Amino acid sequence: MVQTSLGIVYYERIHGERAENLELSIAAHAEALEVFTPKTSPHDWAQVQMNLGNSYCKRIHGERAENLELAITAYNQALNVYTHQAFPKHHAAASLNLGLAYQNKKNFPSAYNTFTDAIGTVEMMREQIVSEKIKRKQSEEWNKLYRYMVEICLELEKETEAIEYAERSKTRNLVETILERDFNTIFPRDVIQILEQIRDEIATGQNKIQTGKAENTKELSQYLQELRQKRNELQDKFLPVGYGFNLNKFQETLDERTGIIQWYITDISIQVFIITCDSQQWFKFSNRNNSLGILIDWLNNYMYTYSYSKSEWINSLFSCLKNLSEILKIEEILKLIPKNCTRLILIPHRYLHLLPLHTLPLSNGEVLYERFPGGVSYAPSLQILQQIQKRDRPDFKNLFAIQNPTEDLLYTDLEVDSILNIFPTHQVLAHNQATKDRLLENLPNIQEANYLHFSCHGLFNLDSPQDSCLLLADSKDEHNNLDLSKCLTLGNLFERDFQLNNCRLVVLSACETGLVDFNNTSDEYISLPSGFLYAGATSVVSSLWTVDDLSTSLLMIKFLQNFQNEIAKDENSSAALALNQAQTWIKNATKEELAAWMSNLPLDKTWKMHINRLVNALETGSKPFESPFHWAGFIAVGK
C-alpha cells in the first residue's frame, strides 16, 4: 500500500523532472505488484494496474507506441478484475482509460469497441440512480466519455452514431423529466398500465435492496435490470429518447422544409451536423486553423467586455457577431442546407447557447434568419425538440400577464397595455398585485392560459442556476436585497404545481432570461426556458443579455401582433417566424414609421402624449433601434 501511494505521489509530483518522476512512479507500482496478486489481493492489484497504465500513458522515456502498448496491457489486466457486473464504476473508468490509449495509438476500431463497453456500463449505473441530483453529478463525471466517443465515431466516419452519442449525453436529465411529466399524453392507455406496473415493481425492488430486505440481492438486481430493459424497449416504440435515441426515427418527424444545424464541441474541435428529413451531413472544420482555440478566445473577450464595459460591448456588437460568423463558417455551412428548406432550427452546445446565432451577419448584408422565410428557432437538443413536437397547443386566445411588479420599468406598462386587446380573454397581475402569493393563488388560471407574458426584471444566477428568477412584487427590501422566496425561480418551475398543459407560448420580456449554465460539464440545458418547457409550454421567447426597456417593449408588441396575424393564416405557424419579422421591422424602422405605427396602438391620451414627445425628439429619417443590441438578443426556443 505504501508503494502504491508512493507511485501516485510521484505521478502527481510537481518538483523535479517530469520524466524522472514518472519513472519513479512506474518503479513504485512495480514494487507493489510484487505483493499484490490477482489471487490474494485482486482489487488492490487491479488498482495498481490502473495506476501503472496511467503512468505509461504519460511516460516520456522510450517510444510512444511502446509505452501505449504497455498501458493497454495494464488496463486490460485491470479489467480482468473490474468486470461490468462486479465493479461497474471501476470497469467504466478502466475502459475509458483503455479507449483513450487506443485512441492515442490511432487504433480507432478498438477505441470504438472499448468506449461502447464503457458507455453501456455507465448507462447501466444511471438506470439504478433515483435521485435527480445524483444523476446530474454522474452526467458531469462521465460526459467526457461521450465526447471521446463522438470523436472516434467521426474518425471512423460513423456520422449517424456520432449524432446519436452526442444526443445521449445532451440535456439527459431534462429529457427524462419531460418524459415522466408527459407520460400520460405520450403513451396509449394500455401501454401506460404496463409501464406503471413495471415502474412500481422496480421501485419496490430498489427499496428492498436499499433497506437490506432483499433475500438475494444479486438475483434481484439482475431482475430489476431486466425490467428496466423491458420498460425502455416499450417506451422506445413510441418515443425513443435517452440511450435509445434513434436519428432515423427522429428524422421522420421533420417536414421537408425544415433544416437543422447542430453544434457539438469536444475537447479538441468544433463539430457541426446538418440534418433534414432525409439526410445528415457532417461539416468538417480544418484542424490546422485551430478553430476551437479561436472561438474560445473570442468568447472570453465577448464575455469580459459584456461584463465590464457594457458601452464598448454595445458599440462593437455588430462587428463582434460578424467575426463570430466567420469563425463558425456560417456561410459554408449554409451551402449544405437544401434550397427547399425554408425553416431552420439551431441546436447550440455548451457556451454557444449564450449567443444570438440566428442574427449572425452574412456577406450579402443579410443576417442568418433573413435567409429563411419560415423563421429560425432554437432547441436544447434533438430529443427535447422531438418531445415538445408531441404537444398539441393550437389555441392562442387566453393571456395571463405579469406587469411591472417592481414598478420601475416605465415601458413595460406600455407593452402590456398594448397587447391586451389582441386576446379575447386576459388576466393581468400588475404592479404591487404581482406578488408570488397572488401568482400561486392564480395557478388554476395560469394552467388554463394559452399564453404567459412576464414583463419584469429577470436575474440569471451563474453560481446557483436553480435560483435564476423573475422578480415579483416585494422581492427586494429597502436595502435592495433580493428575497428569492418572493421571486419565481427556476426551481419553482420544476415543481408539480406548474402544469402548463394549455400553454402555447411563454414570453420572458426581461433581462438575461435566456442565459444558461455554461460552466456546467454535464451538457444539461439549465435555464429559465428549460423550466417553462418542462412545465408544459411548447415555445419560450427569452433574452440573452441586459435589454433596453423601450426597444424591448416595442419589439414584443410587434412580435405579438405578427404572431396573431400568422396564426390566422396558419394555426401551426411558429413563434420564431413572428419574432424574426419583428426583429427585421424594428431594426429598419425609421422615426416616421415608428410614429405612424405607435399612433395606432390602443392607448389612452396620457400614453399617446408621452409617445409623441418621445418620437419628436428623434432625428428625421433616423433608425433609432438599428443596433443589434435592441433586437438581436431575443430568441425563440421550442416548437
Side-chain angles (χ1 to χ4, degrees):
M1 288 304 300
V2 172
Q3 290 288 358
T4 301
S5 300
L6 194 58
I8 294 170
V9 171
Y10 276 130
Y11 181 83
E12 301 286 350
R13 193 184 195 191
I14 298 170
H15 288 302
E17 293 292 328
R18 178 64 171 156
E20 182 180 350
N21 285 329
L22 286 171
E23 292 305 311
L24 291 169
S25 174
I26 291 169
H29 285 125
E31 287 287 330
L33 290 175
E34 293 295 318
V35 175
F36 292 146
T37 70
K39 291 184 178 180
T40 60
S41 309
H43 193 283
D44 292 326
W45 177 83
Q47 186 58 60
V48 173
Q49 292 288 358
M50 281 277 287
N51 297 343
L52 198 55
N54 295 341
S55 295
Y56 278 129
C57 279
K58 299 291 185 182
R59 193 183 196 187
I60 298 169
H61 287 313
E63 293 292 328
R64 176 66 171 158
E66 182 181 346
N67 286 326
L68 286 172
E69 199 58 48
L70 290 169
I72 288 168
T73 300
Y75 291 137
N76 276 315
Q77 291 277 50
L79 286 169
N80 288 331
V81 174
Y82 292 151
T83 62
H84 174 84
Q85 289 293 338
F87 299 99
K89 188 170 183 178
H90 289 84
H91 180 85
S95 297
L96 170 61
N97 290 347
L98 177 59
L100 285 172
Y102 281 131
Q103 184 176 13
N104 290 330
K105 202 180 175 187
K106 308 296 184 185
N107 185 347
F108 300 124
S110 294
Y112 173 84
N113 293 332
T114 306
F115 286 146
T116 299
D117 179 47
I119 288 174
T121 304
V122 169
E123 297 282 358
M124 181 195 74
M125 291 190 292
R126 182 182 180 84
E127 288 283 342
Q128 298 172 4
I129 299 172
V130 177
S131 164
E132 292 299 323
K133 184 177 181 180
I134 297 175
K135 280 187 176 181
R136 189 174 297 116
K137 287 184 177 179
Q138 196 225 28
S139 295
E140 292 173 356
E141 180 180 1
W142 294 105
N143 177 261
K144 58 189 175 184
L145 173 58
Y146 293 87
R147 294 201 301 271
Y148 296 141
M149 184 56 149
V150 170
E151 292 170 1
I152 291 299
C153 286
L154 293 176
E155 289 285 356
L156 296 173
E157 298 186 349
K158 297 175 180 284
E159 290 93 344
T160 298
E161 286 191 51
I163 296 170
E164 290 174 346
Y165 276 111
E167 281 290 317
R168 283 166 70 166
S169 67
K170 289 177 74 173
T171 67
R172 186 64 176 273
N173 282 4
L174 184 58
V175 166
E176 291 178 355
T177 53
I178 288 178
L179 182 67
E180 182 181 351
R181 184 202 176 282
D182 290 354
F183 189 78
N184 290 316
T185 59
I186 292 173
F187 305 106
R189 185 67 245 171
D190 57 331
V191 174
I192 290 174
Q193 292 175 348
I194 297 172
L195 289 172
E196 287 178 338
Q197 181 181 344
I198 293 174
R199 182 176 60 188
D200 292 344
E201 197 169 350
I202 290 173
T204 301
Q206 286 178 327
N207 183 61
K208 286 182 178 179
I209 291 174
Q210 292 168 358
T211 57
K213 296 179 180 179
E215 295 181 4
N216 188 323
T217 301
K218 185 176 180 180
E219 186 176 310
L220 179 56
S221 296
Q222 180 63 35
Y223 176 63
L224 293 181
Q225 190 59 30
E226 292 171 1
L227 283 178
R228 294 186 187 100
Q229 183 67 24
K230 181 180 178 181
R231 176 200 62 195
N232 292 341
E233 290 174 354
L234 187 56
Q235 288 180 169
D236 287 345
K237 288 182 180 180
F238 298 91
L239 186 66
V241 293
Y243 91 99
F245 176 74
N246 183 287
L247 180 61
N248 291 331
K249 289 184 178 180
F250 167 79
Q251 288 175 288
E252 293 173 2
T253 68
L254 299 177
D255 63 51
E256 61 182 11
R257 296 171 298 171
T258 300
I260 296 175
I261 301 176
Q262 181 182 37
W263 284 269
Y264 191 77
I265 298 174
T266 71
D267 294 337
I268 59 175
S269 63
I270 306 168
Q271 304 296 343
V272 182
F273 306 103
I274 297 92
I275 302 166
T276 65
C277 63
D278 56 8
S279 69
Q280 65 270 349
Q281 300 177 76
W282 169 35
F283 179 82
K284 300 181 182 180
F285 276 81
S286 172
N287 292 331
R288 295 180 181 178
N289 296 334
N290 187 30
S291 299
L292 180 58
I294 294 171
L295 174 61
I296 292 172
D297 289 343
W298 179 94
L299 182 73
N300 288 336
N301 181 68
Y302 173 90
M303 295 302 296
Y304 180 86
T305 309
Y306 175 75
S307 301
Y308 299 106
S309 182
K310 195 60 64 71
S311 60
E312 179 185 348
W313 174 81
I314 292 173
N315 292 333
S316 64
L317 186 55
F318 178 80
S319 60
C320 201
L321 292 175
K322 186 176 181 181
N323 190 14
L324 177 62
S325 182
E326 294 168 357
I327 293 170
L328 294 179
K329 303 188 183 302
I330 288 299
E331 304 237 30
E332 294 180 43
I333 293 171
L334 289 179
K335 292 176 183 177
L336 301 178
I337 298 177
K339 298 296 183 184
N340 65 309
C341 288
T342 58
R343 183 188 176 208
L344 184 65
I345 302 171
L346 303 177
I347 302 184
H349 186 221
R350 296 170 68 179
Y351 35 76
L352 291 181
H353 283 291
L354 302 172
L355 308 172
L357 301 175
H358 70 300
T359 64
L360 292 179
L362 305 178
S363 58
N364 65 354
E366 291 180 325
V367 295
L368 177 59
Y369 72 76
E370 291 174 325
R371 185 71 63 86
F372 296 89
V376 176
S377 61
Y378 291 76
S381 68
L382 297 177
Q383 295 177 91
I384 298 293
L385 182 62
Q386 183 177 238
Q387 288 176 304
I388 61 177
Q389 282 175 338
K390 289 192 171 287
R391 293 176 176 172
D392 187 22
R393 310 278 194 271
D395 294 331
F396 196 63
K397 301 174 182 177
N398 185 340
L399 162 69
F400 188 97
I402 295 294
Q403 178 181 359
N404 196 12
T406 52
E407 300 186 65
D408 58 350
L409 295 168
L410 173 62
Y411 297 106
T412 59
D413 288 327
L414 167 68
E415 178 181 319
V416 176
D417 291 346
S418 298
I419 65 174
L420 294 182
N421 71 313
I422 299 176
F423 298 90
T425 306
H426 55 256
Q427 180 179 350
V428 180
L429 291 182
H431 305 153
N432 62 6
Q433 296 299 306
T435 64
K436 189 168 185 178
D437 287 341
R438 287 291 303 277
L439 181 72
L440 296 177
E441 287 171 10
N442 278 278
L443 277 179
N445 296 325
I446 292 173
Q447 290 167 1
E448 293 300 317
N450 311 133
Y451 172 42
L452 299 182
H453 188 96
F454 291 86
S455 193
C456 58
H457 285 293
L459 176 66
F460 181 76
N461 190 327
L462 184 59
D463 296 325
S464 179
Q466 289 291 108
D467 292 331
S468 298
C469 61
L470 299 168
L471 275 63
L472 300 172
D474 302 328
S475 57
K476 287 189 175 183
D477 61 22
E478 65 272 16
H479 303 294
N480 209 35
N481 296 314
L482 185 67
D483 184 350
L484 280 175
S485 68
K486 296 182 178 180
C487 300
L488 179 62
T489 67
L490 176 58
N492 294 150
L493 295 171
F494 282 93
E495 295 168 2
R496 291 293 181 180
D497 292 338
F498 284 87
Q499 298 289 325
L500 307 182
N501 295 329
N502 296 292
C503 186
R504 180 169 185 167
L505 175 66
V506 175
V507 166
L508 307 178
S509 182
C511 296
E512 299 186 341
T513 50
L515 295 186
V516 303
D517 179 11
F518 61 94
N519 287 330
N520 185 280
T521 59
S522 69
D523 270 2
E524 279 301 318
Y525 179 74
I526 303 174
S527 67
L528 285 168
S530 72
F532 284 103
L533 290 176
Y534 166 76
T538 60
S539 295
V540 182
V541 169
S542 57
S543 65
L544 297 176
W545 51 66
T546 303
V547 295
D548 176 73
D549 186 15
L550 174 58
S551 57
T552 294
S553 296
L554 301 182
L555 178 67
M556 290 298 105
I557 296 167
K558 185 65 174 176
F559 157 60
L560 289 162
Q561 290 175 343
N562 291 346
F563 197 27
Q564 281 288 22
N565 291 336
E566 290 299 323
I567 290 174
K569 293 184 287 185
D570 178 4
E571 68 173 21
N572 294 317
S573 185
S574 72
L577 172 58
L579 177 63
N580 295 163
Q581 291 171 340
Q583 289 171 317
T584 295
W585 170 80
I586 199 169
K587 76 170 179 174
N588 293 327
T590 62
K591 165 188 174 176
E592 293 74 20
E593 289 168 339
L594 286 168
W597 175 76
M598 288 192 286
S599 67
N600 292 320
L601 294 179
L603 300 172
D604 59 29
K605 290 182 179 179
T606 303
W607 265 122
K608 290 195 173 183
M609 289 176 60
H610 178 83
I611 287 172
N612 286 333
R613 288 196 299 270
L614 190 71
V615 172
N616 289 335
L618 299 173
E619 292 183 15
T620 301
S622 65
K623 297 180 179 179
F625 305 118
E626 189 174 18
S627 167
F629 164 68
H630 290 291
W631 50 271
F634 281 94
I635 61 173
V637 180
K639 192 171 180 179

